[in-house]
Amino acid sequence: MFKTILTGVALTLCFTGAASAQTPGGVANVVIQPEPPGLMLGLVQNAPAQTVAGNIYEGLLRYDFALKPLPGLAERWSVSEDGRTYTFNLAANATWHDGKPFTAEDVIFSVEFLRQTHSRARGNLAKVTSVEAPDAHTVVFTLSEPFGPFLGIFEVGSLPMVPKHIYAGTDYKTNPANNNPIGTGPYMFKEWKKGSYIRLVKNPNYHVAGKPYLDDIYWHVIPDAAARAVAFETGKVDILPGGSVENFDIPRLSQAKGVCVTKKGWEYFAPLSWLWLNNRSGPTANKAFRQAVSYALDRDFAKDVIWNGLGKPAIGPIASSTRFFNPKLAKYSYDPVKAKALLKESGYKGETVRLLPMPYGETWQRWAEAVKQNLEDIGIKTELVSTDVAGWNQKTSDWDYDIAFTYVFQYGDPALGVARNYVSSQIAKGSPFNNVEGYANPAVDAGFADGAATVDAAKRQAAYDGVQKIIIEDAPLAWLLELEFPTLTRCKVHDLITTSIGVNDGFRDAWIER
Amino acid sequence: MAGFIAQRLAKGVLVLAAIVVLNFFLIRLAPGDPALVMAGEAGATDEIFVTQLRTKFALDKPLPSQLAAYLGSIATLDLGYSVRQQMPVATLIGERLPATLLLTGCAFLISIVLGVLLGALAAGRAGTLADTAITGLALLFYATPLFWVSLMAIIVFSVRLEWLPSFGFETVGAGYSGFARAADIAQHLVLPALTLGLFFMAVYVRMTRASMLEVSRLDFVKTARAKGLTEGVIQRRHILRNALLPVVTLAGLQAGTLVGGAVLTETVFAWPGIGRLMYDALLQRDYNLLLGVFVVSSAMVLIFNLVTDVVYRMVDPRIEVAR
């Protein structure tokens, strides 16, 4: 009897001992929502595609929670004194999933490829005049002038490396390899049963020794939000990436036994929500009216009631988790009295204002109703105009709205994800993510240009402080909340989120306790 | 009979062509297009990106030439290509069809067998407690929204009792084959097929009961009773058979929708069927795929209407096949 107990204790010790080290093997079951249209990251950039294909493809760099670069396919990098030359030393043992070596030629080709297919990469690479390969594992980027955020553009979703030997000389969009994506990442594409699941398997030749740990990753397509929550509750899936269940389910799910929650892994994207205010015509063309809207919004109510405590009231164009945010510039608090005074000053005559909700599920619908209430409380006649995703895209990109909900990613730097919404050169129909409000201010254009054109952090901060001050005063739009999308996992899943793009950086470090 | 069928098929082709043209314009009335949807999903976009997509989707050509191109390919039985999914439409539909047919077919069988049985039972005992119980239950299933019943079934049978899986077509990654796989799929099928079947069952119960009660008041039933036939024989042979016509009509209508799938049930149970394919295609404005699903399901409706007409004749020989 005594002996049995001892053995039991020894076994338990043994198991707990083993559990604290990274155990290789195991299967991760993850929810993916919605089903991506494809997995070739150079061609498809929607959120679920990035989440799945971040395991298949890699970028040259990754970024920690403070957005400092970490090695990816590039092991080392250096910047020249004048901020115009960037040299990357690539991992010498990296190979594509079909066994061909990954070289500097692939980097040069990827730049060429993405300049044709990837609109964000096209903008990010605008200052690059040449990309050269002095040897097989060194790449040199030369810029026409210094570009402050340049080291921040190499994340896998922004600049994924694509294989030259498969795509060179072909029609990229119809290449059969698009349905069988080949990257350098820790997991390889295995199978996709449309409407059911996507299966990735371990890349045994991954260039980081000992990684990855898991054998398989199954991405389950479950279209109903309540059914996704049930799948997690019943243990059929272990991981709910941020945003895959309605936020009113999160408190219940996170209180269950053995469930871990993290808000990390969104620092690079820093999703910021706001109301587009059409600066061109109608009451929203008036600055006092726009300021009145900003004072009328009860952001704490939205955070506490509609988002169940998730998120943080936004004070201006730059999110607090990204660089060059300045907390001292806060101006708009919930103040209906001030809002009413400003509304009177604006000369508003009771015209009906159209409010376009975001067609992304229950939470957004309720939020639109709350904002309508806020606006009507100060005397703005508001009409909700609901539509689906395609209709919302059409209405915002054709400027057919008075007030419209949106949320936009910041991509780690004001020059990459903020300037586009305020500079006058970005006023163009056909995109729901540029300067949709039609705001034009030469001082703002100049400030953003100054902020981007130097690598000196102090000079950049000064430029962006100036810009933030003007924009907050002009109120071209009404900032709402910095959104949070917590990731829920079974606690046996470890090291899933290790960088500022979270699950999108793949399951490179993740392991499951067994 | 053969002439009749040939004639109906020829008419069917014309109807189908009209449906294609109508749907072609109808879905383009919705705001937005597939290029804008994809641009929107990308989180950042510029003019070049949207123009490239429009060219890729062949949306840069004028509408009439788009329609002509589509009709031309349909005429050669080619459903076209889904640019969004990077696959031929026929392949996409073909992949989803077995799952849908399994689900809707089972639900169809469950509903018609249980519905007629319970309806006949209720009619035979009209006014008794059993009748009240059956009609009450049928009314409940008929009136309760399908997605709610589905979610409740999941909570009871998957979450609380842990008897049945809550989502999917089979256990992913289990590597079952042969009989084990069939059993696994059957387990996954129980909840969606039952919840979907219960709604239609309710319709059949009410239809069968009402129709049988009506027939039971007719003179020939009195004659049968007067002849001294047993109640069971009267119910089965005289009343039920004559009461079945409206049920067949309804079954024909339901059968026509088998291929169209069941959007709600497929969504809640993550069943990889046609209904979801169509719903996603609608939201994504994937015109070719959406039209493809419409073409296939309208063809099915036409075929089942024809089958229904033939079955009428078998059930009730007095009916001449209508010309």
Side-chain angles (χ1 to χ4, degrees):
Chain A
M1 179 65 188
F2 184 61
K3 206 173 165 188
T4 332
I5 292 175
L6 260 190
T7 324
V9 169
L11 270 176
T12 319
L13 281 177
C14 187
F15 275 120
T16 33
S20 60
Q22 282 97 332
T23 20
V27 176
N29 286 290
V30 198
V31 157
I32 190 68
Q33 162 61 26
E35 186 166 27
L39 292 177
M40 202 296 164
L41 262 196
L43 298 171
V44 186
Q45 284 108 37
N46 81 344
Q50 292 192 34
T51 305
V52 177
N55 291 288
I56 301 170
Y57 294 94
E58 287 181 295
L60 292 185
L61 299 176
R62 301 176 304 135
Y63 301 92
D64 69 9
F65 297 126
L67 303 177
K68 295 255 175 315
L70 297 171
L73 275 170
E75 284 175 335
R76 278 164 290 117
W77 54 93
S78 59
V79 190
S80 71
E81 199 84 345
D82 65 354
R84 290 183 50 227
T85 313
Y86 290 76
T87 309
F88 294 88
N89 299 99
L90 308 177
N93 57 342
T95 55
W96 296 101
H97 293 158
D98 59 4
K100 295 269 183 347
F102 166 78
T103 69
E105 287 301 316
D106 289 307
V107 181
I108 296 173
F109 176 75
S110 299
V111 167
E112 187 187 309
F113 182 107
L114 297 169
R115 270 182 163 158
Q116 289 180 44
T117 61
H118 194 307
S119 46
R120 205 149 45 79
R122 189 156 42 230
N124 292 349
L125 294 165
K127 301 261 155 59
V128 174
T129 48
S130 79
V131 190
E132 278 156 358
D135 66 64
H137 294 104
T138 309
V139 182
V140 180
F141 286 75
T142 311
L143 277 59
S144 58
E145 54 179 323
F147 185 47
F150 193 68
L151 264 188
I153 71 162
F154 294 96
E155 167 261 335
V156 58
S158 306
L159 211 72
M161 290 298 117
V162 298
K164 181 180 184 183
H165 66 279
I166 287 174
Y167 286 95
T170 68
D171 179 358
Y172 304 154
K173 286 174 179 156
T174 56
N175 192 308
N178 295 343
N179 287 327
N180 190 13
I182 287 180
T184 57
Y187 295 89
M188 305 188 291
F189 175 79
K190 176 77 182 177
E191 185 189 9
W192 185 350
K193 248 187 125 98
K194 294 245 173 174
S196 291
Y197 64 89
I198 300 169
R199 181 186 178 195
L200 305 181
V201 296
K202 181 179 188 160
N203 174 6
N205 304 315
Y206 189 54
H207 60 89
V208 180
K211 290 182 182 180
Y213 302 108
L214 304 173
D215 290 333
D216 299 84
I217 308 174
Y218 285 100
W219 301 87
H220 297 266
V221 180
I222 307 175
D224 182 65
R228 288 195 289 276
V230 166
F232 184 73
E233 274 181 303
T234 54
K236 292 286 190 287
V237 299
D238 316 309
I239 297 164
L240 293 173
S244 50
V245 286
E246 290 283 358
N247 71 66
F248 44 75
D249 278 331
I250 290 176
R252 179 172 56 91
L253 293 177
S254 47
Q255 274 152 26
K257 220 175 141 233
V259 172
C260 287
V261 185
T262 177
K263 292 175 179 171
K264 289 197 158 166
W266 285 84
E267 295 79 3
Y268 184 83
F269 303 119
L272 185 60
S273 60
W274 63 64
L275 298 173
W276 292 119
L277 304 172
N278 201 331
N279 286 217
R280 300 171 188 86
S281 58
T284 44
N286 183 298
K287 178 167 139 186
F289 182 93
R290 296 196 302 264
Q291 289 180 337
V293 169
S294 250
Y295 280 116
L297 298 170
D298 189 348
R299 297 175 178 82
D300 286 311
F301 173 84
K303 172 183 158 256
D304 293 335
V305 178
I306 293 163
W307 288 91
N308 287 287
L310 296 169
K312 192 172 166 188
I315 64 155
I318 297 179
S320 61
S321 76
T322 57
R323 304 170 75 189
F324 310 119
F325 165 76
N326 187 340
K328 294 193 198 101
L329 299 168
K331 176 177 165 86
Y332 303 104
S333 50
Y334 177 50
D335 191 343
V337 177
K338 208 169 196 175
K340 274 182 195 156
L342 280 162
L343 192 65
K344 206 168 167 198
E345 185 195 319
S346 78
Y348 171 67
K349 292 187 201 62
E351 301 97 316
T352 303
V353 171
R354 292 168 299 162
L355 174 62
L356 190 63
M358 198 137 195
Y360 282 6
E362 300 268 328
T363 306
W364 292 91
Q365 188 59 36
R366 290 181 196 179
W367 200 359
E369 282 155 14
V371 163
K372 178 176 195 265
Q373 187 68 48
N374 283 161
L375 296 179
E376 291 194 328
D377 282 349
I378 64 157
I380 300 176
K381 236 177 118 191
T382 315
E383 180 197 5
L384 283 183
V385 185
S386 295
T387 175
D388 66 353
V389 175
W392 178 87
N393 277 323
Q394 169 103 25
K395 281 185 193 296
T396 46
S397 35
D398 282 354
W399 310 338
D400 178 19
Y401 69 95
D402 295 318
I403 303 182
F405 273 84
T406 193
Y407 77 93
V408 170
F409 285 175
Q410 307 260 304
Y411 299 112
D413 194 289
L416 302 180
V418 180
R420 59 182 177 152
N421 301 122
Y422 305 96
V423 298
S424 57
S425 59
Q426 284 287 323
I427 300 179
K429 279 195 181 183
S431 164
F433 298 108
N434 57 15
N435 186 342
V436 169
E437 77 274 23
Y439 172 62
N441 184 335
V444 168
D445 292 353
F448 273 117
D450 290 347
T454 172
V455 282
D456 182 331
K459 281 187 194 154
R460 297 193 71 197
Q461 182 75 56
Y464 289 125
D465 278 353
V467 164
Q468 286 177 81
K469 213 167 159 201
I470 304 171
I471 297 181
I472 290 172
E473 173 59 27
D474 281 351
L477 34 82
W479 302 280
L480 292 165
L481 293 178
E482 296 179 6
L483 302 177
E484 284 176 343
F485 298 107
T487 299
L488 276 74
T489 59
R490 301 262 149 214
C491 293
K492 63 179 181 179
V493 181
H494 296 271
D495 295 341
L496 175 65
I497 288 170
T498 52
T499 71
S500 55
I501 65 166
V503 271
N504 286 16
D505 241 335
F507 287 35
R508 176 185 194 267
D509 303 321
W511 54 281
I512 294 181
E513 218 174 274
R514 287 186 305 157
Chain B
M1 189 73 143
F4 160 75
I5 291 175
Q7 200 188 353
R8 282 287 297 269
L9 281 176
K11 274 186 197 161
V13 170
L14 284 181
V15 172
L16 200 61
I19 290 174
V20 170
V21 175
L22 206 67
N23 281 331
F24 181 88
F25 288 109
L26 204 60
I27 59 179
R28 277 167 174 78
L29 284 181
D33 66 27
L36 262 181
V37 171
M38 289 194 86
E41 289 170 345
T45 145
D46 55 14
E47 191 84 44
I48 308 173
F49 190 71
V50 176
T51 317
Q52 277 178 349
L53 281 174
R54 293 230 164 94
T55 319
K56 206 165 129 185
F57 280 99
L59 294 171
D60 50 345
K61 300 199 176 66
L63 263 189
S65 74
Q66 285 181 44
L67 176 62
Y70 189 74
L71 283 176
S73 70
I74 288 283
T76 57
L77 295 180
D78 176 7
L79 291 177
Y81 192 79
S82 162
V83 179
R84 187 186 166 90
Q85 309 249 18
Q86 302 274 328
M87 263 187 206
V89 170
T91 316
L92 282 166
I93 294 180
E95 274 180 0
R96 300 292 187 93
L97 206 53
T100 279
L101 286 179
L102 189 64
L103 171 64
T104 51
C106 284
F108 181 65
L109 283 181
I110 291 171
S111 61
I112 201 155
V113 170
L114 281 181
V116 171
L117 234 111
L118 290 176
L121 215 68
R125 288 163 182 68
T128 65
L129 196 66
D131 174 38
T132 317
I134 291 173
T135 44
L137 212 65
L139 191 66
L140 185 72
F141 285 128
Y142 184 68
T144 321
L146 205 56
F147 72 91
W148 191 81
V149 176
S150 312
L151 283 174
M152 289 307 119
I154 289 179
I155 288 178
V156 174
F157 296 104
S158 302
V159 180
R160 297 264 175 255
L161 297 173
E162 297 181 27
W163 286 354
L164 294 162
S166 67
F167 75 94
F169 180 72
E170 57 187 317
T171 309
V172 168
Y176 294 132
S177 60
F179 183 74
R181 180 161 185 243
D184 182 50
I185 293 175
Q187 259 197 351
H188 283 80
L189 182 64
V190 174
L191 283 184
L194 265 184
T195 45
L196 180 60
L198 283 179
F199 172 80
F200 286 104
M201 179 202 83
V203 181
Y204 291 124
V205 167
R206 296 174 63 76
M207 186 73 80
T208 311
R209 181 177 174 276
S211 178
M212 279 181 72
L213 287 180
E214 202 179 307
V215 172
S216 67
R217 286 186 208 107
L218 296 180
D219 288 344
F220 73 90
V221 178
K222 281 188 195 133
T223 313
R225 285 224 169 81
K227 278 200 314 195
L229 291 180
T230 64
E231 193 58 26
V233 173
I234 296 175
Q235 287 285 346
R236 267 198 318 277
R237 197 179 296 163
H238 295 256
I239 302 182
L240 183 59
R241 182 154 184 201
N242 283 292
L244 269 183
L245 272 190
V247 176
V248 172
T249 311
L250 204 71
L253 282 176
Q254 194 199 340
T257 64
L258 287 180
V259 172
V263 179
L264 277 179
T265 314
E266 288 176 9
T267 302
V268 175
F269 291 100
W271 193 262
I274 296 271
R276 262 173 62 201
L277 186 71
M278 177 186 69
Y279 186 64
D280 289 344
L282 174 69
L283 289 186
Q284 295 151 356
R285 305 286 190 271
D286 192 343
Y287 296 148
N288 274 356
L289 181 53
L290 195 56
L291 274 177
V293 176
F294 285 162
V295 168
V296 173
S297 39
S298 13
M300 282 301 146
V301 172
L302 291 171
I303 291 172
F304 276 104
N305 274 350
L306 179 58
V307 172
T308 315
D309 283 349
V310 175
V311 173
Y312 273 160
R313 211 187 134 109
M314 278 151 50
V315 175
D316 189 345
R318 287 171 305 176
I319 295 180
E320 276 291 303
V321 171
R323 279 189 180 268

